[in-house]
């Protein structure tokens, strides 16, 4: 049953990724989080979702236009979280998602900020992790605002 379902999902994303009709970021987030929550670890499914995201949103994010979506933190953080655990292009995708999330994290709900930071820690590149904006936000949000012991980072839930 699962193989049959994922075959259709992969084909759907392959066809939609090249279509002129854009898939909303909210849809990609819902699908990625449902897949992760259900424990589906088919890398091809996550790769398909990631490919569609890059094909449809990468240029908009890299250019700074941010016109194709509201990139609401309630969509960006769960999407990052779902992709951080096993997507081959996770570090590239997390870099893009960080670019849209970073200016919004200070004003977001704490659980969304924690979700985004956790995704970056789990799946981000070393370059992203050592970037000044990541380190500054971890300090500001976790240590100063939430009074979180920074020595526990990367050890909780392990």
């Amino acid at each position: 049953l699962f193989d049959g379902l994922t075959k259709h999902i992969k084909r759907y994303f392959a066809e939609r990724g090249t279509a002129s009709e854009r898939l909303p970021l909210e849809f990609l987030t819902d699908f990625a989080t449902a897949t992760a929550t259900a424990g589906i670890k088919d890398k091809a499914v996550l790769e398909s979702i990631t490919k569609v995201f890059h094909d449809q949103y990468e240029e908009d994010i890299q250019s700074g236009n941010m016109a194709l979506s509201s990139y609401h933190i309630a969509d960006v953080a769960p999407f990052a979280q779902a992709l951080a655990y096993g997507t081959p292009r996770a570090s590239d995708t997390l870099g893009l998602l960080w670019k849209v999330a970073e200016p919004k994290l200070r004003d977001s709900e704490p659980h969304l900020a924690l979700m985004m930071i956790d995704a970056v820690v789990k799946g981000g590149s070393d370059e992203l992790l050592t970037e000044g904006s990541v380190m500054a936000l971890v300090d500001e949000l976790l240590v100063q605002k939430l009074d979180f012991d920074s020595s526990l980072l990367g050890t909780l839930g392990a």
Side-chain angles (χ1 to χ4, degrees):
L1 178 66
F2 174 73
D3 290 337
L5 179 61
T6 57
K7 182 173 93 175
H8 292 294
I9 291 167
K10 288 180 231 178
R11 185 175 68 231
Y12 174 79
F13 278 113
E15 292 169 0
R16 300 297 287 202
T18 58
S20 61
E21 182 182 335
R22 184 171 316 284
L23 290 173
L25 178 60
E26 297 83 358
F27 175 81
L28 296 175
T29 298
D30 290 345
F31 192 84
T33 56
T35 301
T37 303
I40 298 171
K41 298 187 191 265
D42 186 326
K43 289 190 188 282
V45 172
L46 291 175
E47 285 175 21
S48 297
I49 296 168
T50 303
K51 181 181 179 333
V52 170
F53 173 75
H54 279 268
D55 289 349
Q56 296 187 351
Y57 293 99
E58 183 171 18
E59 186 177 320
D60 186 51
I61 295 168
Q62 293 288 23
S63 70
N65 288 337
M66 312 288 186
L68 298 179
S69 173
S70 67
Y71 299 105
H72 194 281
I73 194 66
D75 297 314
V76 173
F79 189 53
Q81 186 74 35
L83 297 179
Y85 294 95
T87 307
R89 277 182 86 179
S91 62
D92 294 341
T93 307
L94 290 170
L96 289 172
L97 293 171
W98 180 259
K99 189 171 183 174
V100 297
E102 189 266 333
K104 301 174 183 191
L105 287 175
R106 285 178 179 83
D107 298 324
S108 70
E109 294 291 323
H111 71 283
L112 294 171
L114 288 171
M115 186 181 287
M116 189 68 205
I117 291 169
D118 180 62
V120 168
V121 169
K122 296 280 193 230
S125 66
D126 289 341
E127 183 179 285
L128 179 60
L129 287 172
T130 57
E131 182 178 293
S133 66
V134 173
M135 299 301 286
L137 266 168
V138 166
D139 179 54
E140 181 181 334
L141 295 176
L142 294 183
V143 178
Q144 296 172 26
K145 193 172 186 181
L146 298 177
D147 197 24
F148 188 85
D149 182 359
S150 61
S151 68
L152 296 175
L153 275 178
T155 62
L156 295 176

